[in-house]
Amino acid sequence: MKGLIYFAALSILTNEEDILQGNLKYHRSSHLYEGSLAISIEDLNRFESFFHNHRLYGTVTTNLHFIPKEGKQAISCDLSAYRVRYENVLVDDLSIQGSVEDLLSNPKGEIHLLAEKVYKEGIYLEKLELNSQSIPESSWPFSLAVEGRIEAPFETHLTGNWKQEEGQILVELTEATGTLIDIPLHLEHPVSLSWKEHVWELTPHLS
């Protein structure tokens, strides 16, 4: 059909264990993709050159669905990863589910991330769970629950919202509760954080 580029019945086998399969088409007039891809990678270390030669290991499977919607690109993702190691960080189990509309200009949708048994020198996280869903005002309310051990057992639950604006990520932390060695933790005032050019800035709201 005129105006379309088809990648029909796509199947790429890099070896006996790594697989990319799916059906995908590209709408040249709107520059949007439509279709699905299934990706299975047995060992991420074989793709080390794509990650600037950083050490990366683990097994990943993911399903991607691309949907043109009212002239915008929408995408949904279901990813599972096991025994992932990046430099000196280890993650036994990682899952990410999400669906995002208007991906390229004004993303909105929902994301769920769950990481279990995360290890780094001096830090052990039994569980880290993040949920975020956008609202019409272009911000993304979120909740983050973490439990584990940093010298002593701890757990915490954070809520707030985040958004990307003018090349930076803005985070407003509105509530934080938890315990450290059975000592209650509580955020007295909201806090704003911004991330730009690899630098975090923190601003407390004391009023």
Side-chain angles (χ1 to χ4, degrees):
M1 184 180 295
K2 186 177 181 180
L4 292 177
I5 299 177
Y6 284 90
F7 303 93
L10 180 66
S11 182
I12 300 174
L13 183 66
T14 59
N15 54 48
E16 294 181 354
E17 298 168 328
D18 300 330
I19 299 173
L20 186 154
Q21 294 178 320
N23 289 275
L24 194 64
K25 56 186 176 183
Y26 173 67
H27 298 261
R28 289 187 292 186
S29 59
S30 61
H31 306 292
L32 300 178
Y33 290 90
E34 182 177 0
S36 300
L37 291 177
I39 302 168
S40 177
I41 300 174
E42 184 64 26
D43 187 357
L44 287 167
N45 189 48
R46 286 195 285 267
F47 299 87
E48 181 181 23
S49 59
F50 290 97
F51 301 98
H52 304 289
N53 294 315
H54 291 290
R55 292 183 300 167
L56 183 64
Y57 306 88
T59 299
V60 173
T61 60
T62 185
N63 290 286
L64 299 170
H65 301 280
F66 300 86
I67 309 106
K69 189 171 182 179
E70 298 177 354
K72 308 290 186 180
Q73 183 70 69
I75 185 171
S76 65
C77 172
D78 187 351
L79 178 146
S80 298
Y82 310 95
R83 301 178 299 280
V84 176
R85 177 179 178 180
Y86 178 73
E87 298 296 336
N88 61 346
V89 178
L90 305 175
V91 182
D92 270 9
D93 294 283
L94 174 67
S95 65
I96 302 173
Q97 292 88 36
S99 59
V100 179
E101 299 177 4
D102 199 359
L103 179 66
L104 302 178
S105 56
N106 182 29
K108 51 185 179 293
E110 56 184 340
I111 298 171
H112 174 251
L113 179 150
L114 176 62
E116 297 182 286
K117 296 180 173 56
V118 181
Y119 306 85
K120 190 179 185 300
E121 185 176 359
I123 300 173
Y124 168 68
L125 303 182
E126 178 67 28
K127 182 175 76 170
L128 183 153
E129 186 169 14
L130 171 69
N131 287 284
S132 185
Q133 184 171 2
S134 64
I135 57 176
E137 289 77 11
S138 298
S139 65
W140 289 65
F142 72 88
S143 65
L144 175 65
V146 185
E147 58 182 82
R149 184 180 183 89
I150 304 177
E151 302 298 334
F154 80 96
E155 62 177 28
T156 187
H157 185 271
L158 312 176
T159 59
N161 60 79
W162 69 275
K163 62 181 177 180
Q164 187 171 358
E165 185 177 272
E166 297 179 353
Q168 62 181 335
I169 296 176
L170 304 175
V171 179
E172 183 180 22
L173 188 60
T174 56
E175 185 177 354
T177 58
T179 58
L180 175 63
I181 325 177
D182 296 325
I183 300 173
L185 303 175
H186 176 70
L187 181 67
E188 192 72 26
H189 302 282
V191 172
S192 293
L193 301 95
S194 64
W195 167 264
K196 186 176 183 180
E197 298 177 352
H198 307 287
V199 176
W200 278 108
E201 291 186 3
L202 185 149
T203 305
H205 300 286
L206 302 178
S207 57

